[in-house]
Amino acid sequence: MDLSFTEEQKAFRAEVRRFLDEKLPKRLSDKGRLGQRLTKQDYEEWHAILNEKGWLAGNWPKEHGGAGWNAVERHIFEEETTAAHAPRIVPFGLAMLGPVLQKFGSKEQQDYWLPRILNGDDWWCQGYSEPGAGSDLASVKTTAERDGDHYVVNGQKTWTTLGQYANMIFCLVRTSKEGKPQEGISFLLVDMNDPGVTVRPIVLLDGEPEVNEVFFDNVRVPVENLVGEENKGWTYAKYLLTHERTNIAGVGFANAGLANLKRIARLEQSGGRPLIEDPLFAAKIAEVEISLMAMATTNLRVVSAAAAGQAPGAESSMLKVKGTVIRQEINALTKQAVGPWAMPFVSEALEAGSNEGPVGPSYAMSATPHYLNNRKLSIYGGSNEVQKTIIAKAILEL
């Protein structure tokens, strides 16, 4: 297995860097660098720039309007955009639903929904988790009962990321109670503007309502919004989650976070010298950097296998566990590095244009909110405990 980059791949990296230098608005990269909150308009602006270039859906084949990149090219693109502090590509329509529709959706669904995802006509969110069904998705209780040419949906979803912006949600719903729990689940596309849909924000530790509760009260959904076959949604859900968990590894985000940590450690003082020269703190940075390098190599192995046509398996669970732990450790070290400046957390200072300035240096204002917000990393997308069980069964055969 060759983990080195080819000349063509190096040229592609240089092309991505040139594009970012020319097209990434400084206002957006400054927000990313300072850890300020992004608005819906910020995401839409960056999506439109990428779509004009043909790079918004790097994982989609060209026949569906994507860039047709292989796994290595997608890896390079993600590394460069995170290093440039570009807004992340919101994954729900592009990285999650899109591939499901391309593999399991009807021709009519593909022709209608895929262009709307690319053009920004629809903002999608994910309706998987419920109060009693998080990592154990087979326990979903939201029901969809057939009534003529509609399904009538009742139930609740929770932890719906950016649901306050969405006009569409793809849901796992229970269409049968017969047999095993996994056998009665279907994959349904629901219009958030339909009567009976209620969205309630959940304010997180960092003060931002990033996630939501979504309630369905006799919501009527056209039968043509069923993806694939009725009661086969578990197959589609697993297909989606495999790709989600690989992305959650977040090698690019970890690299950017580590670079920021080192920059802060060079600016902060300890005992009359830069903190990065303190032997104990330098050892902590070295430990997390070594772990990141090892994880990045494993990620490249998975990427290389994917480029050769192999589907990611339990390796995606390994990446999810290790990647999230590393990112949380980087957050903890960054918070430690800024010292007392991490204590006066002014949530309003994270809003661009706010009259509430940061207390202390600007690089310190995002340390606490990032630390608090990223506690979620080891929980969402299937908790790390569940991922370890998958690894034990699939790889260690325990």
Side-chain angles (χ1 to χ4, degrees), residues 126-142 155-161 169-172 212-214 216 241 244-245 379-383:
Q126 181 182 24
Y128 272 26
S129 294
E130 297 181 4
S135 296
D136 180 19
L137 277 176
S139 297
V140 293
K141 291 182 172 58
T142 296
Q156 177 187 356
K157 298 294 179 178
T158 193
W159 309 125
T160 307
T161 303
I169 182 171
F170 56 90
C171 286
L172 293 184
N212 303 265
E213 296 176 291
V214 182
F216 304 91
L241 283 173
E244 180 190 12
R245 286 165 183 165
I379 300 173
Y380 71 33
S383 71

Side-chain angles (χ1 to χ4, degrees), residues 195-214:
V197 179
T198 303
V199 180
R200 296 180 186 171
I202 301 173
V203 179
L204 299 181
L205 286 170
D206 64 351
E208 185 175 9
E210 181 186 10
V211 296
N212 303 265
E213 296 176 291
V214 182

Side-chain angles (χ1 to χ4, degrees), residues 102-163:
Q102 291 161 29
K103 188 170 181 65
F104 302 106
S106 66
K107 180 67 163 56
E108 292 76 16
Q109 289 173 336
Q110 293 172 0
D111 290 344
Y112 181 77
W113 295 112
L114 295 180
R116 294 176 63 87
I117 293 173
L118 289 176
N119 296 333
D121 295 328
D122 294 316
W123 184 301
W124 287 88
C125 60
Q126 181 182 24
Y128 272 26
S129 294
E130 297 181 4
S135 296
D136 180 19
L137 277 176
S139 297
V140 293
K141 291 182 172 58
T142 296
T143 60
E145 297 182 0
R146 184 73 179 262
D147 181 23
D149 57 358
H150 285 78
Y151 286 101
V152 179
V153 180
N154 284 280
Q156 177 187 356
K157 298 294 179 178
T158 193
W159 309 125
T160 307
T161 303
L162 301 182

